[in-house]
Amino acid sequence: MTTSGQRAVSAVARPTGADGVWRLPNYRRLWWGNAVSTVGSQVTMNALPLIAVLVLGATGTQVGLLRALYTVPFLLLTLPAGVWLERRARRPVMLGTDVARAILVLTVPVCAWVGVLGWPQVYAVVAVGGALTVVSELAAVAYLPPLVGPFRLAEANSRMHASLAVSGTTAVGLTGWLATLVGPAPLLLLDAVSYVVSGAMLLRIRHCEPAMAAPGDRDPVAETREGLRAVFGHPVIRRCVVYATVFTVGTQLANVAMVVYLLADVHLGAALFGLTLMAGGVGGIVGTLAAPALLRRHGYGRTMLAGIVLGAMPMALVPVGHTPAVTVALTGVALLLGAAGACVTGSASVTLRHLLTPTRLHARMNASYRLVQFAAIPVCSVAAGALVDAIGSRPVLWLAPGVLLAAALPLSAGPVRRLGHQSPLADADRSMLVEKTAWASRSA
């Protein structure tokens, strides 16, 4: 990039505090809609297993199939959905998925009330709901950068990730409390209402999306390859996806072993177990809100590496305790610090990927990136369960921090470690520079 190009970037790279992302009405509407619908979705994901067991008398195999059916669309539809979204305005897609999901989840309490709820319907709701969620999440991720501009992106992503952490924390306690009061099936009414609220917020957004490419003669295979090249052909993003995959492996080891360890070995009750897990949600909120300030102070490379270390090392505290009280305390601390570190790195990673990828490739790049991550989850969950059965939960909990820490290796050498405050922008191609400068001019 030329010196003049560097100056052009620098000229728009430092919005003042008065230009914070929360001052953008369109972003606030998107954030509130996303936050409300995410709480509803998390309540549903916690309520469906309760419905399966308490209403339909599910076996362990049926509960496992329920979770698997929700995961399958993330593996099968992610890449095609990314290609499909590149030629479409994202806001109408998000509106359509909100309406469809509201109707879909509403069928469960209605059928439960009239006594006709059965497994085929529950399986269909989970599978179709997962497919709609794939499309909606990819559309939202691609919609955000043009909405806020490149230099508010770190703060915007941080606040969006914070809402996810809040929803996860809230839903754990909210689901159990409401299920006790009204039963599990009526809880899905809350999810249906949340999608209506999300759609209403989207309708209030006043933002002209960038013009989509003309349909023309499409080659889906070639477009899919281009999306994959955006991930694996870029030295920084390629290292990020390797880090994310390794960290996912370690996370699945820790999650599976922790459930067995805390419930079966330490014999925590369900209420205390849920309360302990909420510490991770609190840590996630802290990490995502702290990420923008850390990026401004330390740059991308050092912030991401520090986040991985903080996400990995405290997990070694979990198997240390020998009494329930000590175990709960140490696990709470480990989850609080570990989630904070993981969310710092995750928030920095998604911002970095957007800055290094042309807007026209955002949907396909994110689809390719997420496919690698989601593909690791079911495989690693099964492998982690088998490993726990073979050697016990405590040894696996000792192994997990080492695997999590290994995720730092792809980022500790080469281009990622050297990324400072301006490096991500300096590495972007000229078309991205023109786009960023034009956006700054329009918003001035």
Side-chain angles (χ1 to χ4, degrees):
M1 183 178 290
T2 64
T3 302
S4 61
Q6 294 276 15
R7 285 197 296 269
V9 169
S10 181
V12 295
R14 296 183 180 87
T16 65
D19 294 324
V21 70
W22 201 245
R23 293 178 62 87
L24 302 177
N26 288 331
Y27 177 77
R28 291 201 304 270
R29 291 162 187 153
L30 179 67
W31 188 92
W32 277 111
N34 179 78
V36 172
S37 67
T38 302
V39 171
S41 298
Q42 290 292 327
V43 168
T44 293
M45 290 310 298
N46 284 279
L48 280 174
L50 296 178
I51 294 171
V53 174
L54 300 178
V55 178
L56 300 177
T59 64
T61 300
Q62 288 171 318
V63 173
L65 181 58
L66 198 67
R67 295 186 177 277
L69 284 174
Y70 184 77
T71 306
V72 166
F74 287 84
L75 301 179
L76 299 182
L77 295 182
T78 298
L79 286 180
V83 172
W84 181 74
L85 282 167
E86 291 294 352
R87 304 298 180 97
R88 285 163 177 81
R90 283 69 187 259
R91 189 168 72 119
V93 171
M94 291 188 287
L95 276 168
T97 56
D98 278 344
V99 172
R101 286 184 291 179
I103 296 172
L104 187 69
V105 299
L106 190 60
T107 65
V108 175
V110 170
C111 291
W113 284 335
V114 299
V116 296
L117 183 65
W119 279 109
Q121 180 186 349
V122 172
Y123 285 147
V125 167
V126 171
V128 177
L132 291 170
T133 299
V134 169
V135 176
S136 179
E137 288 184 352
L138 287 175
V141 171
Y143 184 67
L144 184 62
L147 182 70
V148 302
F151 303 110
R152 292 184 177 96
L153 194 55
E155 183 188 354
N157 278 320
S158 170
R159 289 181 179 272
M160 296 296 279
H161 280 73
S163 71
L164 292 175
V166 171
S167 68
T169 305
T170 305
V172 172
L174 188 63
T175 303
W177 177 64
L178 289 177
T180 303
L181 292 178
V182 300
L187 292 183
L188 273 68
L189 287 171
L190 179 63
D191 196 9
V193 171
S194 75
Y195 289 129
V196 173
V197 173
S198 176
M201 290 293 103
L202 287 171
L203 284 172
R204 294 187 62 203
I205 292 176
R206 300 293 180 261
H207 169 69
C208 295
E209 294 189 61
M212 298 293 105
D217 294 327
R218 302 197 61 179
D219 186 347
V221 174
E223 292 182 10
T224 300
R225 288 174 179 169
E226 190 177 15
L228 290 167
R229 281 197 299 271
V231 173
F232 295 101
H234 195 291
V236 172
I237 301 177
R238 181 173 62 245
R239 288 174 180 268
C240 286
V241 78
V242 174
Y243 125 75
T245 304
V246 175
F247 203 86
T248 297
V249 173
T251 300
Q252 295 308 307
L253 284 174
N255 287 345
V256 173
M258 195 180 305
V259 170
V260 176
Y261 179 68
L262 295 179
L263 293 179
D265 297 345
V266 182
H267 302 293
L268 294 186
L272 189 55
F273 175 72
L275 184 63
T276 304
L277 294 186
M278 289 179 67
V282 175
I285 297 168
V286 173
T288 51
L289 294 179
L294 292 173
L295 289 173
R296 288 193 298 269
R297 183 177 180 86
H298 301 293
Y300 284 84
R302 287 193 292 175
T303 296
M304 293 176 71
L305 285 170
I308 293 176
V309 173
L310 182 61
M313 297 304 293
M315 298 309 295
L317 295 173
V318 177
V320 170
H322 291 283
T323 66
V326 173
T327 299
V328 167
L330 292 177
T331 302
V333 172
L335 291 175
L336 179 72
L337 297 177
C343 287
V344 165
T345 304
S347 182
S349 173
V350 68
T351 302
L352 190 59
R353 299 198 309 268
H354 279 139
L355 292 175
L356 294 175
T357 306
T359 300
R360 68 181 184 85
L361 288 174
H362 278 174
R364 280 178 282 167
M365 177 275 294
N366 282 303
S368 301
Y369 193 97
R370 287 184 171 206
L371 177 65
V372 177
Q373 281 188 284
F374 285 127
I377 292 175
V379 175
C380 293
S381 295
V382 173
L387 193 59
V388 168
D389 290 340
I391 65 175
S393 60
R394 191 187 290 266
V396 175
L397 285 170
W398 285 116
L399 174 65
V403 177
L404 291 169
L405 195 60
L409 295 177
L411 307 183
S412 61
V416 181
R417 182 176 57 85
R418 296 191 296 269
L419 286 177
H421 307 81
Q422 297 297 328
S423 297
L425 301 178
D427 289 342
D429 58 73
R430 183 174 294 276
S431 65
M432 281 293 287
L433 173 62
V434 172
E435 178 185 335
K436 295 179 181 74
T437 307
W439 186 94
S441 299
R442 290 196 303 271
S443 61

